[in-house]
Amino acid sequence: MTSSKSRILIIGATGFIGRHFTKASLAEGHPTFLLVRDSAASSSPEKAKLLESFRASGANILQGSLDDYASLVEALKKVDVVISAVGDFQRMSQINLIKAIKEVGNIKRFLPSEFAFEFDRFNDAVGPVKTVVDDSVKIRRAVEAEGIPYTYVICNCFAEYFVPCLGQVDLMVGITPPAPHPPTDKISIYGDGKSKAAFVKEEDIATYTIKTVDDPRTLNKFLYFMPPANTLSANELVGVWEKMIGKTLEKDYVSEEELLKKIADAQPELMKHYLSVCHYVFMKGDLTNFEIGPHGAEATQLYPNVTYSTVEDFLSRYV
Ligand SMILES: NC(=O)c1ccc[n+]([C@@H]2O[C@H](COP(=O)([O-])OP(=O)(O)OC[C@H]3O[C@@H](n4cnc5c(N)ncnc54)[C@H](OP(=O)(O)O)[C@@H]3O)[C@@H](O)[C@H]2O)c1
């Protein structure tokens, strides 16, 4: 029996968000193909186990890499939709993928690795995040220049990274989510704590993203995540946690000048990166404060039957 659901190729299935896309694609009954590097399973027993579980759930695992053009062409011939979930600093390798998609000519939808913020509107970044912003914009323009059908997924803040640390993302350096516990005594707030961000649980990001691949309403558009219950300022996010634990945290409000100095002095590189994320999201911020307009749609409005986790639901595992 042939499926009416698109065949999806996921690149980055062993990664942090790619594994959620894989689970959601399989759960929705899409024929699911994973382009996996030879080194993935041998690099970590956890990844080997994960790939085995995907195989057991019906995923078709294809060996290949963004750096191996022939493997891309072969994989693309088998599918209708491509979701790339490569990491922050692998974005430019997608140029090879764009070239292969153009050559093969059968891809109905491409979701480049984004799953972050509206980099075209908000490009005032400093530090390592500036490279991520600039590379994302270059990839968008390359997709459009080749006339490849796309959806850009702007899911804002991953809950596992932003919520347990209550927005002080530099606390996550050295921690592979899930974080052990949110702060209970004191917290740094970057800026005045008033600019809003949206926080979305990774499973929910994946559920909405998979829904969109066959949805004509998001063809050549942005899919934004701004769930009303989870669009909060840093002050409000800390307030939710304070209410849950019945305690007021000591707050250190960090000025932009202080944060820029912290970024300049930070070691290791990951600390610099996470502090520059804090600058982008909370100091410059207000990344959800714009009219969506005709070029995009908001996920929770588009799919009102999906129930998403609130920040409170997410934090309840720590109480
Ligand atoms: N909004 C947020 O809060 C937030 C937070 C984190 C990430 N993100 C975004 O989410 C996206 C994915 O990030 P992530 O943290 O999930 O990534 P990640 O955990 O670093 O995983 C990257 C994946 O890409 C694969 N990969 C890397 N280079 C490849 C290549 N040349 N060919 C094929 N596969 C390759 C890796 O495979 P191996 O197993 O072989 O290494 C891995 O599966 C990025 O766009 C990032 O900006 C957003």
Side-chain angles (χ1 to χ4, degrees):
M1 200 174 75
T2 53
S3 167
S4 61
K5 300 211 173 199
S6 284
R7 298 165 297 169
I8 300 180
L9 175 69
I10 296 167
I11 306 177
T14 51
F16 180 71
I17 194 68
R19 63 190 60 196
H20 292 289
F21 294 143
T22 305
K23 286 178 201 164
S25 175
L26 289 165
E28 280 288 316
H30 289 274
T32 302
F33 296 74
L34 313 178
L35 186 85
V36 176
R37 293 194 283 190
D38 281 339
S39 54
S42 55
S43 69
S44 123
E46 189 261 340
K47 286 187 180 178
K49 212 169 142 194
L50 185 68
L51 286 171
E52 206 32 63
S53 76
F54 289 154
R55 198 192 309 272
S57 306
N60 302 283
I61 298 182
L62 313 172
Q63 298 298 328
S65 158
L66 285 183
D67 311 310
D68 174 354
Y69 191 77
S71 75
L72 291 177
V73 169
E74 277 316 298
L76 290 170
K77 284 180 186 162
K78 299 181 196 304
V79 300
D80 312 296
V81 168
V82 182
I83 300 178
S84 168
V86 295
D88 273 342
F89 295 103
Q90 294 138 8
R91 277 175 163 63
M92 292 315 290
S93 313
Q94 296 176 113
I95 290 291
N96 232 5
L97 176 61
I98 291 167
K99 201 172 143 215
I101 292 175
K102 177 76 178 174
E103 180 186 321
V104 173
N106 59 303
I107 297 303
K108 293 193 302 191
R109 195 81 66 101
F110 174 42
L111 281 60
S113 190
E114 292 237 356
F115 316 110
F117 308 102
E118 219 317 22
F119 298 127
D120 273 313
R121 285 176 207 258
F122 301 97
N123 53 16
D124 199 2
V126 298
V129 166
K130 183 161 174 36
T131 306
V132 177
V133 173
D134 293 346
D135 288 354
S136 303
V137 169
K138 282 182 207 155
I139 291 296
R140 287 181 191 175
R141 297 298 91 82
V143 168
E144 292 152 16
E146 295 296 358
I148 292 169
Y150 66 84
T151 301
Y152 301 140
V153 177
I154 313 299
C155 58
N156 288 297
C157 302
F158 286 8
E160 292 283 3
Y161 275 98
F162 283 82
V163 177
C165 62
L166 307 178
Q168 194 190 335
V169 187
D170 47 295
L171 293 177
M172 295 298 288
V173 173
I175 295 174
T176 306
H181 206 278
T184 49
D185 293 320
K186 51 185 178 183
I187 183 83
S188 293
I189 292 184
Y190 297 113
D192 61 9
K194 291 183 183 161
S195 67
K196 298 223 184 217
F199 305 93
V200 191
K201 198 173 167 191
E202 286 74 359
E203 287 84 347
D204 296 338
I205 294 171
T207 300
Y208 288 111
T209 298
I210 296 300
K211 284 207 171 297
T212 217
V213 302
D214 286 329
D215 188 339
R217 296 174 298 173
T218 55
L219 178 61
N220 295 334
K221 293 200 170 161
F222 291 78
L223 178 70
Y224 296 104
F225 289 66
M226 300 179 189
N230 289 358
T231 303
L232 305 172
S233 67
N235 287 335
E236 289 167 335
L237 176 61
V238 174
V240 169
W241 176 238
E242 289 178 327
K243 198 167 161 208
M244 290 174 81
I245 59 171
K247 186 177 172 189
T248 303
L249 272 59
E250 184 190 324
K251 296 169 193 81
D252 172 27
Y253 285 89
V254 179
S255 69
E256 182 167 22
E257 196 185 0
E258 288 169 312
L259 180 54
L260 289 173
K261 180 158 178 13
K262 269 175 182 276
I263 295 169
D265 296 345
Q267 288 292 337
E269 191 59 23
L270 189 60
M271 178 62 88
K272 215 181 254 301
H273 181 52
Y274 282 6
L275 285 168
S276 71
V277 169
C278 294
H279 180 268
Y280 182 75
V281 176
F282 298 108
M283 191 65 75
K284 288 296 167 191
D286 259 348
L287 303 178
T288 57
N289 188 15
F290 59 88
E291 286 294 319
I292 289 182
H295 301 297
E298 201 282 322
T300 63
Q301 288 183 19
L302 220 45
Y303 309 111
N305 295 334
V306 176
T307 306
Y308 65 87
S309 291
T310 64
V311 161
E312 205 160 359
D313 296 333
F314 185 88
L315 283 170
S316 63
R317 72 184 184 205
Y318 294 107
V319 182

